[in-house]
Amino acid sequence: MMDNNKYLSVKALTKYLKYKFDQDPYLRRVFVTGELSNVKHHTNGHIYFALKDGQSVIRGVMFRSSAGKLTYNPEEGQKVLIEGRISIFEMNGQYQIYAEDIQMDGIGQLFEQLEKDKKALAGKGYFDPRHKKALPKYPEHIAIVSSATSAAVKDMITTFERRYPLVRLTLLNTLVQGPESRQDVIRKLRQADTLGVDVILLARGGGSIEDLWTFNEKEVALEVFGTRTPVVTGVGHETDTTLVDHVSDLRAPTPTAAAELTVPFHQDIAERLKETGLKITRNRMQAIQSGKQALLPLSGYYKFKTPALLYDQQTEKLIVQKDKLSNSFNRQFTDHAHSLSRLKSTLTHLSPMPDIKRERNRLAVMNEDLDDAVEAVNRDFRQKLLSRIDMLDSLSPSAVLKRGYSYTVKDGDVVKNARDVEKNEVITSHFLKGSIISKVIEVKKDE
């Protein structure tokens, strides 16, 4: 008979294991990284989840007291860093991690920011198809913004040469990864937008998500959206989709595919031209045949056999109408000539010319009389003027001087009396021609 005392109950065993877990110092504080799965936010504030990697899964819980301190909302698929302790949940006997803090892993934080940027740009309509600029069917000049030494650029150039050798390419050597790549991509996009090209091709070969992260930067996406020139993006592999792909005018799965989508294939153009030429020829031939069929019933029409029948009636009508028009014109011309003659006769009778001629003669006579009167007045005034000039000449000091007289001046005043001059004073005597300055040596004051 078995001794039941040596067998433990499930509860007892579980409690013992839980005790061991809780006492182990290596399990009291653990740091684990993994991917969140089966995340459930309970109404009581607790968060239940599973943490997995490529090999294993561990269940976990974060109680409300710790969950309320989180600065973000844990979601499915996020790669996280968890700090907590390991213990056993007695009800089901499973060990699990009791999380005290959950932080986004580096890449996880980037993805979280990327999702925020996507929502922000989508909410503002940046992804709206109505903002997409149409690409020209036959571009003449394309700017490539990429690393000049990359295999992707070489593949694109080879694709352009094979598909559409007429296109002119301008390569702007650009940093496509690293801390300085964001500003360099923005600079080169702005430069490309000033070149007057038909299309800008922003491309990069495959790589890790960290390598491609420049094309997930919000500033780069906004620069792509703001260009006046259509932008085609070909970043990474077919499964890679970056933020710039959402705002560009056309997204290609790879750089080579971007080159193929940007230009037509020259053989396709030749085939279309050939087909169009054949179609035009066929349509012309059909139109000619249709015209021939339409003309066949008319070929037996009797007027076509005698073409004069088509226009002789019209010719006769034209002659009659011409005669009527000529007669009407002649009649109206004669009537107007008679009317004009009557008006001319009336105007001649009422003409003011005789009165004008008569008044013009009177005016001529009056002008002659006026000229004679003016001449008489002028002669009279001329005689009076000459008489007065003679009188003035006789009274002029110059006339007196001509007779040998002179006059004497002292201090600007004319000397009229010898009493006005003293001995040794200087006086000036003026003659008809010239003057003499003298010094008085004696004054005779006759009474």
Side-chain angles (χ1 to χ4, degrees), residues 31-172:
F31 300 89
V32 187
T33 179
E35 181 181 317
L36 292 178
S37 177
N38 296 324
V39 180
K40 296 179 181 178
H41 296 268
H42 201 276
T43 54
N44 57 19
H46 304 328
I47 301 174
Y48 299 92
F49 59 89
L51 187 67
K52 64 180 182 178
D53 55 20
Q55 306 295 328
S56 303
V57 179
I58 181 175
R59 294 190 178 278
V61 61
M62 188 177 211
F63 294 126
R64 179 176 57 189
S65 58
S66 298
K69 300 176 182 178
L70 294 178
T71 58
Y72 76 102
N73 197 27
E75 295 180 356
E76 192 83 12
Q78 292 177 340
K79 191 174 181 181
V80 294
L81 303 172
I82 295 181
E83 178 184 350
R85 60 185 176 85
I86 303 297
S87 186
I88 291 180
F89 184 45
E90 295 183 25
M91 289 187 64
N92 58 17
Q94 288 186 340
Y95 81 95
Q96 60 185 18
I97 184 170
Y98 291 84
E100 297 174 2
D101 187 25
I102 301 177
Q103 296 291 332
M104 293 286 290
D105 200 354
I107 297 299
Q109 292 178 355
L110 291 177
F111 273 114
E112 181 185 19
Q113 185 61 46
L114 176 61
E115 290 302 317
K116 290 182 180 178
D117 291 340
K118 280 184 181 179
K119 290 181 181 178
L121 295 180
K124 294 180 179 180
Y126 285 82
F127 300 168
D128 197 323
R130 63 190 176 89
H131 294 307
K132 307 294 183 184
K133 296 181 282 293
L135 270 64
K137 288 185 178 180
Y138 307 104
E140 298 178 4
H141 190 187
I142 294 176
I144 301 176
V145 177
S146 188
S147 173
T149 59
S150 66
V153 166
K154 296 177 181 178
D155 291 341
M156 285 188 291
I157 293 176
T158 301
T159 301
F160 283 124
E161 292 175 349
R162 173 177 55 84
R163 289 180 60 85
Y164 196 63
L166 295 176
V167 71
R168 182 161 64 96
L169 301 177
T170 297
L171 175 60
L172 301 178

Side-chain angles (χ1 to χ4, degrees), residues 407-411 413 415 426-430 435-438:
Y407 66 93
T408 301
V409 177
K410 186 190 79 169
D411 298 330
D413 295 326
V415 178
V426 177
I427 59 176
T428 302
S429 300
H430 292 277
S435 58
I436 295 174
I437 299 174
S438 307

